[in-house]
Amino acid sequence: MSWAKRVVAPYRVEDGDKFRLKDFNPGDTGHIRSKPHAHKLLEQGIVSMAELQDKLYAQDRWGVLLIFQAMDAAGKDGAIKHVMSGVNPQGCQVYSFKVPSSEELDHDFMWRTSTRLPERGRIGIFNRSYYEEVLVVRVHPEVLKGERVPPSLITKDIWKERFEDIKAFERYLARQGIVIRKFFLNLSKKEQKRRFLARLDDPQKNWKFSAADIHERASWEAYMEAYEDMIVHTATKSAPWYVVPADNKWFTRVVVAAAIVDTLENLQVAYPEVSPQKRRELKAARRLL
Ligand code: AMP
Ligand code: MG
C-alpha cells in the first residue's frame, strides 16, 4: 500500500449506510505524532502531486473535481492554498461558491456549478459547491423559500430528492471520466471558537471574520445533522467523501494531499505514447534544426 493510501484510508467513506459523524474525531492525527513529520509528508505529497498532475495534463483524458465543504474557520482556504502550492496553475481551476446571485437563482441549482466543471486534463476545485443546497438551505428554511422552485415541488421529500439528483449527477460525471473526490473538513465546535477568537484578536486576521459566522455557529447541531445525512446519502465508491480531521491544520493538509495523490495514482496517468508516425515527425524536425 502506498503511503498516501495508508494515510487516507481511515477517513474515506464510500458507503454511507453505517456512517455516523460521532465515530470521527476532529482532533485525530492518525499515526503522525509531530508537526515536522507532517510537514515532511506534505512536502513529499506536493512533489508527487506535481508529477502526477503533469501527466494528467499531458494525457488530457481524465478530469479531477475536488469538492471542499466545511463549517467556517475549518481551514478550507488554507488547505487549498497549501496543498495545491506545487501544482502548475495552468492545470488547475479554483471556484468559490457564495450566496447565489439573482441570475443564479433563476436557474436550477446545478447550473452555476455545471458551467465550472474541470476540463479533461485539469484539476478543478470547488470551494463550497452544490452541496450547500442540502446544508445551508436545509438548516435555514427561509433560504429555500428564496429559491424560485415552484411550491408544488417543495415537499417533505425534497432533501431525499436532492440527494438522489446529486448522486445521479455525480455518477454521470464519473462515467464521463470526471473523477470526483469530496472533502468534509471536520472541525470541533470548541476549536472553531478558538479560531474565531484568534480572528478577533489578531488585526491581520480581522478580515476573515464575518458577523454571519457567529449566526451560523448558533445552528451548529443542525449543521452537523445535515452534514451527517449528506454523507450517509451521497458517499459512493466513485465519488467518496473524506471526513478529514480539522482541529490540527497540519494534519488536515497531509490527509487532503494524500487523498489527491492516491486518486491520481489510481488513475495510472502517464505521458502519451509516441506513435511511429510522431517519431518520424520528431526525426524530421531534428534534421530541420
Ligand atoms: P464564504 O465561503 O465564507 O465566503 O461564505 C459564503 C457563504 O455563501 C456561506 O455562508 C455559504 O453558506 C453561502 N452559500 C454558498 N452557496 C449557497 C447556496 N447555494 N445557497 C445559499 N447560500 C449559499
Ligand atoms: Mg466565511
Side-chain angles (χ1 to χ4, degrees), residues 159-226:
W159 311 115
K160 195 178 119 250
E161 289 168 358
R162 287 189 172 191
F163 291 141
E164 280 171 11
D165 294 338
I166 288 172
K167 250 167 92 162
F169 179 69
E170 292 183 346
R171 189 183 60 188
Y172 159 77
L173 290 176
R175 287 174 173 170
Q176 282 293 307
I178 307 300
V179 178
I180 304 177
R181 296 292 181 264
K182 306 175 291 202
F183 299 90
F184 167 50
L185 305 193
N186 185 22
L187 181 72
S188 70
K189 196 176 179 188
K190 202 169 143 206
E191 176 64 15
Q192 189 196 46
K193 180 175 176 178
R194 214 188 55 74
R195 292 186 190 174
F196 278 174
L197 286 173
R199 288 179 179 189
L200 294 173
D201 290 342
D202 180 350
Q204 289 192 10
K205 287 185 179 168
N206 283 172
W207 67 274
K208 289 190 185 180
F209 190 82
S210 129
D213 295 351
I214 289 289
H215 183 65
E216 294 312 303
R217 180 175 166 84
S219 306
W220 186 275
E221 282 70 29
Y223 267 110
M224 291 306 113
E225 280 172 30

Side-chain angles (χ1 to χ4, degrees), residues 1-9 32 38 40-46 48-49 253-255 257-259 261-262 265:
M1 211 194 281
S2 73
W3 74 270
K5 197 178 284 304
R6 205 169 328 123
V7 168
V8 294
I32 301 174
K40 227 164 122 189
L41 281 178
L42 180 58
E43 251 169 59
Q44 183 183 333
I46 289 170
S48 306
M49 212 184 299
R253 292 167 190 170
V254 170
V255 175
V261 168
D262 182 42
E265 280 177 347

Side-chain angles (χ1 to χ4, degrees), residues 2 42 64 67 81 128 136 140 150 159 169 173 233 256 274:
S2 73
L42 180 58
V64 176
I67 293 180
K81 177 167 129 185
R128 304 187 189 272
V136 65
H140 298 291
W159 311 115
F169 179 69
L173 290 176
H233 288 95
V256 172
V274 181

